Amino acid sequence: MFNLILFGPPGSGKGTQSERLISKYGLKHLSTGDLLRSEIAGQTPLGLAAKSFMDKGQLVPDEVVIEMISSALDNNPQAHGFLFDGFPRTVAQAEALDKLLAQKGTSIAVVLALEVNEDELTKRLLNRGLTSGRSDDRDEGTIRSRHSEYQKKTAAVADHYKKYGKVVFVKGEGDIDEIFQSLCKEIDLRDRA
Ligand code: ADP
């Protein structure tokens, strides 16, 4: 099994690159943002509870997303590997993920961290807001909250995995294909190992 975390701030290109990576490597894509949005669309109790946090640009409570990921892992026993996108977003989520994977006799192979400067991030999100139908991309205040949540709670996830020498930083600006090639290079170094 080959499991990777695609890491980076909101707007860094995780969704775009995830789509390409899962099709090239046959990984199962687990995006907590997508899972939460589908709970909201289905008007489930979980979705209704999550929506108020997401609309404010705040993180959804750890227990909620950990439980969601735990079920997703159980529901995909045949997966050749997982690509985690938008998860883990707190150190508590990272520790929970490590434990869940260990119970399945596997672990995170690598954390690929996309680096993009903050002005570019805001520009990309506002642009996405024009077409995506995502209300959290339309408001500059909400975007600012998401960046501040990222700095306060999520950046530390990279430090958690640095302890195990698993983090690789990849430039997330420039040509989408070139970024994809840089990510593939890092995966190929490990996938074959
Ligand atoms: P982006 O990375 O562009 O902000 P996502 O789709 O990954 O977009 O996340 C959208 C929102 O969903 C976040 O702002 C947050 O409220 C919620 N969310 C997604 N993943 C998590 C997570 N792992 N923990 C807590 N909240 C999450």
Side-chain angles (χ1 to χ4, degrees):
M1 238 193 179
F2 184 82
N3 307 303
L4 78 92
I5 295 172
L6 194 55
F7 187 76
S12 56
K14 300 186 297 289
T16 305
Q17 296 296 339
S18 289
E19 290 306 325
R20 296 170 178 233
L21 291 170
I22 55 165
S23 87
K24 173 160 179 174
Y25 294 99
L27 301 171
K28 172 73 188 168
H29 186 197
L30 292 184
S31 155
T32 39
D34 288 349
L35 291 169
L36 289 166
R37 280 184 289 276
S38 91
E39 296 280 345
I40 291 174
Q43 299 190 315
T44 66
L46 192 159
L48 294 176
K51 189 176 183 317
S52 58
F53 293 97
M54 293 169 74
D55 285 347
K56 284 185 261 174
Q58 295 170 357
L59 293 186
V60 172
D62 285 339
E63 318 79 78
V64 175
V65 285
I66 292 167
E67 182 52 39
M68 221 170 54
I69 285 288
S70 172
S71 313
L73 292 176
D74 288 342
N75 291 338
N76 289 282
Q78 75 296 349
H80 154 74
F82 293 97
L83 187 163
F84 297 95
D85 162 6
F87 180 89
R89 256 173 152 103
T90 63
V91 172
Q93 292 179 21
E95 288 168 350
L97 176 63
D98 294 347
K99 223 180 257 172
L100 288 169
L101 292 176
Q103 281 162 10
K104 297 188 184 299
T106 183
S107 63
I108 292 296
V110 65
V111 178
L112 298 174
L114 289 167
E115 290 188 299
V116 178
N117 80 68
E118 183 144 355
D119 286 348
E120 169 76 13
L121 293 171
T122 305
K123 206 169 74 192
R124 286 187 191 178
L125 290 175
L126 285 170
N127 262 331
R128 187 167 81 185
L130 298 174
T131 54
S132 70
R134 275 181 60 171
S135 55
D136 62 343
D137 285 342
R138 258 180 252 132
D139 177 72
E140 250 189 280
T142 310
I143 292 175
R144 258 197 302 278
S145 305
R146 284 153 68 198
H147 285 143
S148 119
E149 287 281 80
Y150 178 83
Q151 295 302 342
K152 266 195 298 196
K153 301 174 183 165
T154 307
V157 171
D159 300 328
H160 170 83
Y161 286 105
K162 269 189 212 161
K163 285 191 294 199
Y164 307 103
K166 290 184 174 175
V167 182
V168 180
F169 290 93
V170 173
K171 188 167 149 251
E173 291 174 28
D175 185 70
I176 289 178
D177 280 328
E178 277 173 25
I179 299 166
F180 178 62
Q181 293 310 328
S182 312
L183 295 169
C184 292
K185 197 179 97 198
E186 295 299 336
I187 294 172
D188 294 341
L189 278 173
R190 289 163 180 83
D191 207 4
R192 283 196 222 103

